[in-house]
Amino acid sequence: MKKLLGMTLLLIMLVVAICTFQWFTHPDHSITFLSSVNLCNLAQRIGLLGIYALGAGIVILSGGIDLSIGSVMAFVGVAVAMLTVAGWNPFVASALVVLCCVLLGCWHGFLVGRIKLQPFIATLASLLLLRGLARGIPNGIAQTISHEPFAFLGNGSYLGIPITFWLLIIIALILGFLMNFTVYGRYLYAIGRNAEAVRYSGIKVNRVRTLAFVICAVLAGVAGVLELSLNHEIQPAQSALMYEMWAIAAAVLGGCSLRGGEGSVLGVIIGAMLIRVMDNGMNLVGVSSEWQWAVIGVIVLGGVIADAAYKLRAANKT
Amino acid sequence: MGESTALLQMQNITKRFPGVLALNGVDLDLREGEILGLIGENGAGKSTLMRILGGDYPADSGDIVICGKQAQITDVQHSIALGVSIIYQELNLAPNLDIASNIFLGREPAWGALGIVDSRALYSKAAEIAGRVGISAPMNTLVETLSIGEQQLVEIAKALSVDSGILVLDEPTSSLSPAEASKLFEVMRGLKNAGVSMIYISHRLAEIRELCDRVVVLRDGERVGELSGDRICPEEMVRLMVGRDISRFFPEHGRHAEGDTVLMVRDLSYRGGRDVVNFDLRAGEILGIAGLVGAGRTELVEALFGVEPKHDGEVQVMGENVEIRAPADAINVGMGLVPEDRKALGVILEMPVTENISLPGIGNYNPPFMDRNKEKEVAVELVDRLEIKTPSLNQLVQFLSGGNQQKVALAKWLGISPKILILDEPTRGIDVGSKSEIYRLIRELADDGMGVIMVSSEMDEIIGLSDRVMVMHEGKETGILDRADINEQNIMHLATGGSQA
Ligand SMILES: Nc1ncnc2c1ncn2[C@@H]1O[C@H](COP(=O)(O)OP(=O)(O)OP(=O)(O)O)[C@@H](O)[C@H]1O
Ligand SMILES: [Mg+2]
């Protein structure tokens, strides 16, 4: 809880800093950060990142990791685009492909639970495999689609709030319910801490782990559909490249520990906000986008170090 | 020899944890070349006092004087430099390293300044120390493949590998076999003759009487007395520890087990099928399983509970054939298991008391929802019934004393009232007062119609509590003793491979 407070504070400070900077540097004291166009844009991007970061967060919470998110997104994008080009309704295609993500999650659960592969390795294989398929099947050629209703998913808004952000809210509510009001939430936390002890308590650990991988794969699939809808096209080699790293960064910033057993839905969303606000702020302030990775890297490192230092101090105090 | 000077003095030590006053103005002095016993109930503050000496955390107030010099122990390194070596209650080994590397972890013999490890010297030195404490496994065995008892021996070897004037042993024998323990005592006597002073913590009062020159007793964070010479006898020690006499240690035997057979095991094979076991368990009885360490008792109950799914043979619960492939199946047919390795398997250390207790049951309260009210109700009742000492229900289990952790591991199962309860070393690390409590509790459960299987290495416990005893030797049952035949000679005869008369 304290950590969430810290991160929220950091977020507020960041926003204040951006606004102040703009107020002083703009001759007319205009704050473009707070313009509705910018906020809308920001919310749209937070929504997208938040959706797949939540997936990453749940797997991390259960003591695992999923490296395949970016590749899943690219694969889903290519698959939906190609089906649409072939004459399918893009919504039907999306539903079908996202359904296939359930199978992928089960596959990860099988590899980790039954074959006893480490989650890192199992999902690394999917990272390579799915990206390879996404590039190989269309032979590397970018796919473009134009379908007004479908484009609305990624670009449209309702009551002034982007659809992606609405989706994030809905998904967060569902996951928040799952984590806090059903036994699966309890099991996920417990497995992240000591999976063997949970198994000895008669819980089907593999099933719960699989559930986490399924949620992650499905959310990555949804994000893939949104990304395609947003851009109207997909570049098999570049699209969603390294997005799993953004997802993991958001989860870690939001309080997930890679050791497992720690983290919350709200935390991950705050983590996603931090990353996107930082991004956006740098754009507005005029830092070249070439620097963005480095800056986010520093923030992630700073956030985790601050947390570690805080924990150390708390431990010494007792 | 007890008249020599004080080597170590801890004066007026106070330590407070959130919600607990763990130590309240405790004095402790250790004289040169003596073995000082430190006893007290679970949560009395023994380990806390030793952790302060070891530099794990500082005391809130109080002084430590070593060799007449005031010592401000700031961290573990500092404490080691002052000649203090501590074998902690919890194992602190690197499971993925071998025995030799663990013994010399951080102090590997090296060539010159480059720090290239001299493995020849490492292994030969390690073998020498390991030989002294009786480790039989080769030095390149990975620690994670060793039994808990063997790991404990590695921990002891590690402490002996530094030359220290003060050696603290916090419940080193709780997971050792009698043979391993007597080997350890031999080593301790040797060290004593070499002038090493030792502080020895144990809940086994017979050991304390055998080894210690003097005994200091703690109760609820306060020093309540000191015994020496002839006064070191179980009655005196118990009186000081508990603050009252324990008149009856073991409860009356059951209203005799005439209940139905709840569990029937036929030709059960485990450990890759080499070993085959047959036995029955009736409702209302306590079946003790005795045997030497390595007899396969833990493996047997784990096979029964579905931890190791591959086994052959027939298991009947309440007269029906059951196929148990996972602990979940075992629980479904009404079994519960309190495993031997409490920290790794019995509880989740970083979770609160309540959530640990509810773990096996919460899925059934109101699935798939989490019924927090029911959860709390169950936890409150069990914490009360087992007298678990904790400042709150939300305390993380890792902050409870060892004995109270064990009670949590037991409470988990009582919450789902199984028909068959399997206990693997149920009183490991538990003080005398709580032990008799737990015995009474186990008996009560049996009287209420539960069938109880109790694996134990403590002869007293097996003899005092069991209605029948199954003795195992090298993975097979060598005999089942009825009430009238349960005695030490018969058990040892069967445990060493003898056949039933
Ligand atoms: N790090 C901690 N944080 C909070 N409370 C603690 C911590 N360590 C110990 N305690 C509490 O301090 C008290 C003393 O615990 P300690 O471990 O010293 O008991 P002990 O005498 O060694 O018991 P046992 O025989 O069960 O090992 C207990 O009530 C315990 O719950
Ligand atoms: Mg202790």
Side-chain angles (χ1 to χ4, degrees), chain A residues 5-87:
Chain A
L5 221 68
M7 286 299 158
T8 316
L9 222 67
L10 188 62
L11 187 62
I12 294 171
M13 273 159 47
L14 201 60
V15 169
V16 171
I18 294 169
C19 295
T20 323
F21 182 88
Q22 290 202 317
W23 195 81
F24 277 112
T25 51
H26 289 184
D28 59 348
H29 298 319
S30 70
I31 302 176
T32 43
F33 177 79
L34 294 178
S35 72
S36 63
V37 176
N38 187 60
L39 286 182
C40 221
N41 223 313
L42 187 61
Q44 184 189 41
R45 293 169 51 78
I46 289 173
L48 249 171
L49 171 59
I51 289 172
Y52 57 86
L54 279 174
I58 286 203
V59 172
I60 290 174
L61 191 76
S62 74
I65 191 125
D66 192 336
L67 298 181
S68 67
I69 293 172
S71 297
V72 173
M73 288 174 67
F75 179 79
V76 165
V78 166
V80 172
M82 288 183 78
L83 287 174
T84 307
V85 169

Side-chain angles (χ1 to χ4, degrees), chain A residues 111-294:
Chain A
L111 289 179
V112 171
R114 278 289 160 82
I115 313 288
K116 309 255 177 275
L117 293 189
Q118 285 167 342
F120 190 99
I121 306 295
T123 58
L124 177 66
S126 297
L127 178 154
L128 297 169
L129 191 77
L130 288 172
R131 176 68 65 177
L133 289 176
R135 294 172 64 168
I137 293 173
N139 204 12
I141 297 166
Q143 306 288 311
T144 313
I145 59 171
S146 65
H147 187 280
E148 265 315 308
F150 183 67
F152 181 75
L153 270 188
N155 296 291
S157 56
Y158 175 68
L159 299 179
I161 293 176
I163 300 295
T164 58
F165 200 82
W166 280 117
L167 278 174
L168 173 64
I169 292 174
I170 293 169
I171 289 168
L173 285 176
I174 295 173
L175 287 183
F177 183 80
L178 180 86
M179 299 306 295
N180 294 297
F181 296 100
T182 75
V183 288
Y184 299 109
R186 172 66 57 77
Y187 293 163
L188 280 167
Y189 279 104
I191 287 171
R193 292 187 172 124
N194 184 345
E196 268 306 273
V198 175
R199 188 164 80 96
Y200 270 70
S201 302
I203 285 117
K204 298 198 164 131
V205 170
N206 289 347
R207 278 195 203 170
V208 182
R209 273 212 177 112
T210 303
L211 177 72
F213 280 117
V214 168
I215 290 175
C216 185
V218 166
L219 291 183
V222 169
V225 169
L226 293 174
E227 186 88 4
L228 173 69
S229 153
L230 177 74
N231 299 323
H232 310 283
E233 66 150 15
I234 180 147
Q235 303 275 355
Q238 273 88 46
S239 198
L241 197 62
M242 298 273 284
Y243 277 21
E244 56 280 342
M245 292 303 154
W246 297 117
I248 294 168
V252 168
L253 269 177
C256 291
S257 152
L258 286 182
R259 263 171 294 127
E262 265 174 70
S264 65
V265 170
L266 195 59
V268 174
I269 292 177
I270 291 176
M273 286 181 165
L274 258 174
I275 289 184
R276 283 304 179 227
V277 170
M278 195 68 212
D279 253 11
N280 185 233
M282 284 189 303
N283 272 331
L284 294 176
V285 167
V287 180
S288 149
S289 60
E290 304 299 328
W291 284 103
Q292 291 189 350
W293 283 35

Side-chain angles (χ1 to χ4, degrees), chain B residues 17 20 22 42-48 89 171 203 399-403:
Chain B
F17 292 112
V20 197
N42 296 126
K46 306 177 296 288
S47 299
T48 304
Q89 190 170 4
E171 291 190 44
H203 289 296
F399 296 134
L400 300 189
S401 74

Side-chain angles (χ1 to χ4, degrees), chain A residues 177-187 189-191 193-194 196-204 316-318, chain B residues 15 302 305 307 327-328 331 339 343-345 347-348 350-351 355 358-360 362-363 368-370 372 375 412-413:
Chain A
F177 183 80
L178 180 86
M179 299 306 295
N180 294 297
F181 296 100
T182 75
V183 288
Y184 299 109
R186 172 66 57 77
Y187 293 163
Y189 279 104
I191 287 171
R193 292 187 172 124
N194 184 345
E196 268 306 273
V198 175
R199 188 164 80 96
Y200 270 70
S201 302
I203 285 117
K204 298 198 164 131
N316 279 343
K317 248 201 223 142
T318 56
Chain B
K15 176 78 187 172
E302 294 202 328
F305 196 63
V307 175
I331 290 165
K343 264 206 338 178
L345 306 172
V347 294
I348 299 178
E350 305 91 350
M351 276 203 339
E355 295 182 12
S358 67
L359 194 57
I362 195 161
F369 303 105
M370 186 147 58
R372 288 216 168 83
E375 171 179 40
K412 266 169 74 163
W413 296 111

